Amino acid sequence: MNESLIVRYGDLNLKGKNKKYFVNMANRLIKDKLSSLDVSYIFQGDRVYIDIKGEKLEDVIKALNHVSGLYSYSLFKRCELDIKAISEIALETFDTNHKEGETFKIEARRPYKNFPYDSYGIMREVSAYILERREGIKVDVHNPDLSIHVEIREEGAFVLTKNIMGLGGYPTGCGGKTLLMMSGGIDSPVAAFELIKQGMTVEIVHFESTPLTSIESAQKVIDLSKKLCAYTRGEKIIVHLVPFKDVHQEILAKVNEKYLITVMRRCMYKIASGIAKRRHILSIANGESIGQVASQTIESMNVINEVTMMPVLRPLLIFDKKDIIKVARQIDTYDISIRPFEDCCTVYVPKAPVIHPHIKETLEAEKAGDFGQLIKDAIDNTKRILIKEDTSLNLESLGFTVSEALDEYKKQEGEK
Ligand code: ATP
Ligand code: MG
């Protein structure tokens, strides 16, 4: 074999009888994400061996970093079950990876018990072999700069180095479906990624209020969804664009300013649940994080959640903003999210929204508007779009109003 990688699955071992199903799903994802690379595989029980042939290691790692359900990968060389051969390969691995002044350590595992040396014996023999042949190098068993692992298995000996952590989680597609509310902000794409990583299939719903809000904010959602495709099964994702303007206008015109956001979010939850039901999706999800803004206190969540019986998944509930941003950069959504366009939660935000709403007052405020038919119409007129990584979608061609309309609207509002 040329340069090769061992890939280990995540905690699929806990899956009992379903393990085979999860492993097959992970293997299909690996082949899918690496399909443009000329590599070959040996799928063997709880791991995959990948011969990366002439491909660049970084390219293979980059592709693997888009497969959920993988715990880690290591570079390895393989030889026969012979201590001299193992020591020789370990020395080669040492020479390739060791930098001057660094300490090292040999670690050994021996799942195949018929090998004549035990783990301690292997560590001793291999370390001695390297120490005898290289001058001025030091072992540090507690905190080495370089670790070289020897694994003795029935099929041969493996010398491994460079443990690289994978995405973790479960193979996407194993964990059911959810409909994720995506705003175009920083949080919701990260929430989508976290759910995909945990094995879920995610469809996206976006409430767009053009021309009250700009078309560019809907375009952000399309562009963010394209980025997420890199992690999905089949590199595609379904986006539902909800025409929210009429509901939005009714809220702005009739609802007490203090309760505006609470009522708006109740309307969003109602519409999302309605679309999810039609799609036979059993949960909705969003990027809410406890305490982040007024609508995300536990009292707000309670009053807003009251409109649906569906489980509402909030993968970012206890994330710090800085950790959310870190993931947003990792999945390359951050730069899109910070494009400066307003969506319906950021435009016309009341100065003092209620932070601890009560259900009685909320229902009172909501009664001022006539939402039943508007919500039904919004669900009926929702546009469903299939997004792929290379989709070039022109929202105007779908009947959306361009941003000049927003400028016009704002001008008229200003003149009133
Ligand atoms: P984000 O960064 O995801 O926009 P946020 O911190 O700005 O989140 P809010 O604007 O209060 O928080 O929205 C909370 C959640 O509600 C979002 O994470 C998203 O899931 C959902 N949401 C808000 N606005 C919309 C919208 N226009 N369309 C779809 N979902 C939305
Ligand atoms: Mg937002």
Side-chain angles (χ1 to χ4, degrees):
M1 270 197 161
N2 306 298
E3 196 155 38
S4 305
L5 281 170
I6 282 184
V7 176
R8 304 173 191 86
Y9 304 114
D11 58 358
L12 307 185
N13 285 326
L14 303 174
K15 292 289 167 190
K17 286 196 184 123
N18 286 331
K19 185 176 162 185
K20 207 164 161 212
Y21 167 72
F22 282 84
V23 165
N24 286 342
M25 292 284 261
N27 291 349
R28 278 198 350 236
L29 266 181
I30 292 173
K31 283 188 175 172
D32 218 32
K33 302 292 175 197
L34 272 64
S35 62
S36 63
L37 301 170
D38 179 25
V39 298
S40 64
Y41 309 93
I42 301 173
F43 295 103
Q44 196 166 71
D46 58 352
R47 48 177 58 191
V48 189
Y49 300 108
I50 304 181
D51 179 349
I52 72 170
K53 300 186 179 172
E55 298 289 354
K56 281 202 198 117
L57 180 65
E58 309 92 85
D59 293 342
V60 179
I61 300 286
K62 197 171 158 205
L64 285 172
N65 282 343
H66 290 87
V67 181
S68 55
L70 303 183
Y71 178 70
S72 67
Y73 352 107
S74 307
L75 274 175
F76 78 94
K77 287 188 177 154
R78 183 175 175 166
C79 64
E80 68 266 35
L81 287 169
D82 169 72
I83 195 72
K84 176 99 197 309
I86 295 169
S87 303
E88 196 44 50
I89 298 275
L91 181 62
E92 269 176 33
T93 305
F94 176 88
D95 285 341
T96 322
N97 293 284
H98 182 258
K99 294 188 194 77
E100 207 179 322
E102 279 186 353
T103 56
F104 84 105
K105 179 187 182 185
I106 301 295
E107 302 199 44
R109 281 182 62 229
R110 191 184 58 142
Y112 179 59
K113 300 289 178 216
N114 289 349
F115 190 66
Y117 295 84
D118 64 7
S119 308
Y120 182 72
I122 300 164
M123 279 160 22
R124 196 187 51 224
E125 292 292 318
V126 177
S127 306
Y129 189 90
I130 297 175
L131 286 164
E132 275 163 24
R133 284 161 182 78
R134 297 293 175 264
E135 302 229 315
I137 57 169
K138 267 202 197 132
V139 170
D140 181 345
V141 288
H142 300 297
N143 202 8
D145 299 309
L146 171 66
S147 289
I148 296 174
H149 298 251
V150 177
E151 250 183 58
I152 305 295
R153 298 170 76 90
E154 195 169 358
E155 63 268 28
F158 296 82
V159 178
L160 305 107
T161 185
K162 273 206 184 115
N163 199 38
I164 302 158
M165 296 313 286
L167 272 188
Y170 299 107
T172 179
C174 289
K177 257 192 193 176
T178 194
L179 182 66
L180 179 121
M181 300 156 66
M182 192 187 284
S183 62
I186 295 167
D187 303 333
S188 34
V190 172
F193 166 74
E194 293 295 335
L195 292 166
I196 293 169
K197 201 180 89 176
Q198 245 7 66
M200 297 202 81
T201 302
V202 171
E203 292 193 8
I204 303 291
V205 59
H206 175 65
F207 303 94
E208 64 82 20
S209 290
T210 50
L212 296 184
T213 56
S214 66
I215 194 172
E216 285 86 350
S217 87
Q219 188 65 49
K220 274 169 85 176
V221 171
I222 303 292
D223 294 345
L224 290 166
S225 303
K226 279 161 71 171
K227 290 281 180 199
L228 289 171
C229 286
Y231 298 92
T232 63
R233 190 168 287 282
E235 277 79 45
K236 57 184 188 227
I237 200 159
I238 290 175
V239 175
H240 303 265
L241 289 177
V242 180
F244 194 64
K245 185 195 74 187
D246 294 345
V247 177
H248 198 166
Q249 264 175 334
E250 182 76 356
I251 296 169
L252 293 178
K254 309 265 178 73
V255 175
N256 174 337
E257 198 182 89
K258 266 176 76 181
Y259 280 87
L260 207 141
I261 295 282
T262 313
V263 171
M264 175 153 29
R265 299 194 60 74
R266 280 169 62 93
C267 292
M268 287 182 176
Y269 272 49
K270 282 183 199 167
I271 296 170
S273 306
I275 295 171
K277 259 188 212 135
R278 288 191 184 184
R279 298 281 299 156
H280 305 289
I281 296 175
L282 302 178
S283 62
I284 57 176
N286 61 41
E288 288 172 352
S289 179
I290 191 78
Q292 211 183 73
V293 290
S295 64
Q296 297 176 24
T297 61
I298 204 69
E299 291 85 354
S300 283
M301 284 184 196
N302 200 288
V303 165
I304 294 163
N305 218 147
E306 192 256 353
V307 302
T308 181
M309 290 294 287
M310 278 193 179
V312 180
L313 311 180
R314 298 180 178 90
L316 306 187
L317 190 73
I318 54 162
F319 271 51
D320 275 352
K321 193 77 185 186
K322 67 173 182 347
D323 295 327
I324 298 174
I325 290 174
K326 207 163 132 198
V327 181
R329 289 190 196 280
Q330 176 200 335
I331 62 172
D332 204 21
T333 54
Y334 184 75
D335 289 342
I336 301 174
S337 293
I338 59 170
R339 285 185 208 154
F341 299 107
E342 297 159 319
D343 77 353
C344 53
C345 277
T346 42
V347 79
Y348 316 117
V349 180
K351 280 181 206 75
V354 58
I355 295 172
H356 305 296
H358 293 287
I359 187 68
K360 209 165 137 247
E361 281 99 56
T362 305
L363 291 174
E364 207 53 51
E366 198 169 80
K367 251 199 261 160
D370 189 4
F371 293 107
Q373 190 58 39
L374 292 176
I375 284 177
K376 188 173 174 308
D377 289 347
I379 296 173
D380 286 343
N381 296 320
T382 290
K383 289 193 169 73
R384 190 165 89 223
I385 312 170
L386 181 70
I387 298 293
K388 297 189 174 179
E389 268 174 295
D390 57 357
T391 301
S392 92
L393 186 72
N394 179 352
L395 285 176
E396 270 177 74
S397 67
L398 288 169
F400 288 90
T401 328
V402 289
S403 54
E404 291 92 275
L406 173 69
D407 298 338
E408 190 54 39
Y409 178 86
K410 283 188 171 166
K411 212 170 94 201
Q412 284 170 14
E413 284 295 289
E415 281 164 7
K416 267 187 207 165

